Amino acid sequence: MLSAELLDKNPRSVPSCSSHQAIRKADLSVKTLSTLIWRSTLLLAAFGSAACSARTAGSAELQLLTPASAAASDESARTFMHTVAHDVTQEGPLAWLKFFNTGPEFFMAVNGQLAFSNAAAAKEGTQNFARTIKRIDLTWGDDLRVDPLTAELAVVAASWREIQVDKAGHRVEEAGYFTGLAEYRDGRWRFRNAHWSAPISPPPAR
């Protein structure tokens, strides 16, 4: 091969032992430098991530409610709850669909069991229920509680009493306690989730 012939005619072209050592040292130096650069890059990335986390935490702190904004959120959420009872009583069960979040985050539980796992299930279930009801009266108790969490979220809770009259004229009266997480979005409050509970009837005496 031509390359082999050139090496034979020019022995100086073959690296000596000392040349190999120099090459190895240079190679080690390059590897060491690469390692240092890689570690420095990781450190910079870590510092950058920490800075982003700090900025995020700072932003969260800035969103904490002031006494004035907490009071405004409290009053607004209370108005929302009164509107819910009024509209459900006046318009029937279908009015509930105005007050449920329409995304997959919505769910509703009743007496410890999941009734609706998402908004689609809530819509279907409410529509089916509305077909059987002639009238419904919903009343919140005087113990309505509002716990503003942020400008967009508030926990609401109250005792409730409801009278239902079905299409056949049968009357059912129920009472219990309601809790829910309300979210202010697009200029109005809606429930992200809700839980209805009613007292458990004592077992029959034996």
Side-chain angles (χ1 to χ4, degrees):
M1 296 177 65
L2 179 62
S3 59
E5 292 176 357
L6 290 174
L7 288 174
D8 290 338
K9 293 180 179 178
N10 188 10
R12 293 184 180 180
S13 64
V14 180
S16 65
C17 181
S18 60
S19 298
H20 283 299
Q21 291 176 351
I23 291 172
R24 281 198 297 271
K25 288 181 180 180
D27 184 53
L28 289 174
S29 298
V30 171
K31 290 181 178 179
T32 301
L33 181 59
S34 299
T35 301
L36 291 174
I37 293 174
W38 178 70
R39 290 178 178 175
S40 299
T41 302
L42 288 180
L43 287 173
L44 288 173
F47 288 139
S49 177
C52 289
S53 298
R55 285 195 296 270
T56 301
S59 298
E61 291 176 359
L62 292 175
Q63 293 176 0
L64 293 178
L65 289 175
T66 63
S69 59
S73 181
D74 181 289
E75 182 179 358
S76 179
R78 288 178 183 276
T79 300
F80 163 69
M81 289 291 285
H82 291 307
T83 300
V84 169
H86 174 272
D87 288 6
V88 169
T89 300
Q90 294 297 316
E91 303 171 20
L94 289 178
W96 277 111
L97 299 180
K98 299 187 299 183
F99 306 119
F100 294 158
N101 263 13
T102 56
E105 71 278 359
F106 177 81
F107 68 90
M108 178 183 287
V110 178
N111 288 337
Q113 295 185 342
L114 186 63
F116 303 133
S117 60
N118 52 49
K123 181 177 180 180
E124 180 181 1
T126 302
Q127 289 173 337
N128 291 337
F129 176 65
R131 295 189 185 100
T132 68
I133 295 296
K134 180 180 180 181
R135 179 173 176 78
I136 185 169
D137 295 316
L138 172 64
T139 305
W140 303 120
D142 294 332
D143 55 353
L144 174 61
R145 301 167 64 97
V146 176
D147 182 16
L149 304 178
T150 69
E152 294 80 25
L153 294 172
V155 175
V156 293
S159 59
W160 58 273
R161 181 172 298 277
E162 191 174 74
I163 300 173
Q164 301 174 10
V165 180
D166 64 17
K167 294 293 180 65
H170 301 121
R171 175 189 170 103
V172 176
E173 185 171 346
E174 296 179 310
Y177 202 79
F178 172 89
T179 58
L181 178 63
E183 180 179 26
Y184 191 81
R185 182 192 298 178
D186 300 328
R188 58 180 298 182
W189 289 96
R190 290 186 179 90
F191 290 113
R192 279 185 66 93
N193 57 65
H195 184 203
W196 301 83
S197 62
I200 299 176
S201 301
R206 296 183 179 179

